[in-house]
Amino acid sequence: MQRTLYDTDHELFRESVRRFIEKEVAPHNAEWERAGIVDKAMFRKAADQGFLGMEVDPAYGGGGVADFRYNAIISEEAQAAGVGAAMMCVTLHNDVCLPYFTEMTNDEQKQRWLPGIVGGSLMTAIAMTEPGTGSDLAGIQTTAIRSDGHYVLNGAKTFITNGINSDLVVVAAKTNPSERHAGMSLLVVEEGMEGFERGRNLDKMGLHAQDTAELFFTDVEVPVENLLGQEGQGFLQLVRNLPRERVSLALGAVAGAEAAFGWTLDYVKERSAFGQPIGSNQAIKHKLAEMRTLIDIAWTYIDRQIEELNAGTLTAEDAAKAKWWTTELQNRMAEVGVQFHGGYGYMNEFPIARAYVDARVQRSTAARTRS
């Protein structure tokens, strides 16, 4: 299917991203999958290539181009190369965390944080989920009680992407524990703050190269100057970013489905049984034709949503529909791929096997209010 979303500048950017992944990510991916974490040097090299904070004002080192199509290209190329987990440190940083630092900060905070966010010295994360609350953000137990010129932060978070490698963590906490949604605020916790500790790098079913951690806060004194926006506005700030976060997940899902389709198509063309390629089997042809059609429809769907996101007209509800539908599609395609690979589909040396387990988490996040 011929997509019309991108122009020449985007395709030149794609070539740069593809070369970067081929040189700096793919050769190390197996090592990072075993280690459960990427080398932060890769993240800094991505910054050197201009792949971080593309929309940030040039005054802070960014490209000044607020066009989510560039973010989309990074996700597409990461999935195509089978290194989506390793590149999540970049995609989460750009797609999910960045708006908190560009749209919810004052001038002093921008000057303090944005150059490092763009330059690669500051990797970001966002900490919402707690062991006992899941997606019920109004029920979080982490508190941040104001005392003189700082907040005293106490609590714990879990399932935090970039949890080990991050330098700046946006933490959702109750500044007014007697309130639910209205009592929540967002604070930026910085690496090295006394009382801030990282727990274990969680041993996940999939996405092994992406560090996911528990975070603990014990009487952490967070300066008032690290409050994002106004006190009590945290829930509204989180909701504001829902369309972008959901489109990012949906886009990654379609790109993952596309990659799984490609690996499967190549395999059935090469693998023979009973004297002929298994791809010549009519049942296999029919199934692949069905999946090709669904993926083409999904690309059209997501391309329109990216255009709406760029225009500022995409709603959280429409993005949620895309997130649900595309993550289901990603899992279906991964299942078909494993099935058609036969026994080899169960071998981790084949990218389809990793894609199958990596896709599992998409269904759980798609069912939640937030990812």
Side-chain angles (χ1 to χ4, degrees), residues 17-291:
V17 172
R18 187 173 296 165
R19 287 194 299 270
F20 172 80
I21 289 175
E22 289 173 352
K23 179 181 178 182
E24 304 292 349
V25 184
H28 309 287
N29 191 60
E31 172 190 347
W32 294 338
E33 286 273 311
R34 290 190 296 270
I37 193 168
V38 303
D39 186 340
K40 284 183 76 170
M42 180 271 282
F43 183 77
R44 297 189 181 100
K45 289 177 181 178
D48 293 340
Q49 296 297 313
F51 300 152
L52 302 183
M54 291 86 71
E55 67 207 69
V56 172
D57 191 307
Y60 307 109
V65 181
D67 183 349
F68 198 78
R69 288 177 290 182
Y70 290 103
N71 301 58
I73 287 168
I74 293 175
S75 290
E76 290 174 21
E77 291 303 313
Q79 293 292 340
V83 297
M87 286 293 287
M88 279 185 73
C89 65
V90 173
T91 55
L92 180 94
H93 181 83
N94 282 336
D95 298 1
V96 177
C97 298
L98 187 61
Y100 293 95
F101 293 93
T102 56
E103 300 174 10
M104 302 172 192
T105 47
N106 57 39
D107 290 342
E108 185 276 330
Q109 291 171 329
K110 285 181 170 66
Q111 292 170 3
R112 184 153 45 107
W113 292 321
L114 284 178
I117 288 172
V118 174
S121 62
L122 296 177
M123 185 188 293
T124 58
I126 184 163
M128 297 177 286
T129 304
E130 296 182 0
T133 60
S135 59
D136 179 19
L137 288 180
I140 64 173
Q141 299 298 308
T142 298
T143 59
I145 306 303
R146 185 160 179 168
S147 175
D148 297 325
H150 59 263
Y151 292 92
V152 180
L153 181 66
N154 283 283
K157 302 289 184 178
T158 193
F159 307 140
I160 307 307
T161 307
N162 288 353
I164 300 295
N165 271 340
S166 55
D167 304 284
L168 301 177
V169 183
V170 177
V171 179
K174 287 289 187 70
T175 46
N176 185 351
S178 65
E179 297 283 350
R180 281 178 59 81
H181 299 94
M184 188 187 305
S185 302
L186 301 183
L187 300 173
V188 177
V189 175
E190 302 180 53
E191 168 66 12
M193 285 185 170
E194 187 174 353
F196 170 36
E197 297 181 359
R198 304 171 197 268
R200 61 195 175 101
N201 190 0
L202 299 172
D203 184 12
K204 307 185 298 298
M205 177 190 297
L207 298 176
H208 292 150
Q210 177 264 305
D211 55 308
T212 306
E214 301 167 314
L215 305 180
F216 302 98
F217 311 98
T218 305
D219 294 330
V220 182
E221 295 187 0
V222 182
V224 171
E225 291 77 15
N226 282 27
L227 173 70
L228 290 179
Q230 297 180 347
E231 193 174 290
Q233 297 296 304
F235 185 79
L236 295 177
Q237 291 168 317
L238 294 170
V239 170
R240 177 180 174 182
N241 273 344
L242 280 177
R244 176 169 169 140
E245 294 177 24
R246 287 170 172 168
V247 165
S248 175
L249 284 165
L251 167 70
V254 183
E258 180 72 57
F261 180 88
W263 298 323
T264 303
L265 183 62
D266 289 344
Y267 181 82
V268 300
K269 287 179 178 178
E270 296 169 0
R271 179 69 172 175
S272 293
F274 307 106
Q276 60 182 355
I278 63 173
S280 62
N281 180 282
Q282 191 174 47
I284 289 177
K285 285 183 176 180
H286 286 173
K287 190 61 180 180
L288 288 178
E290 174 192 343
M291 298 311 299

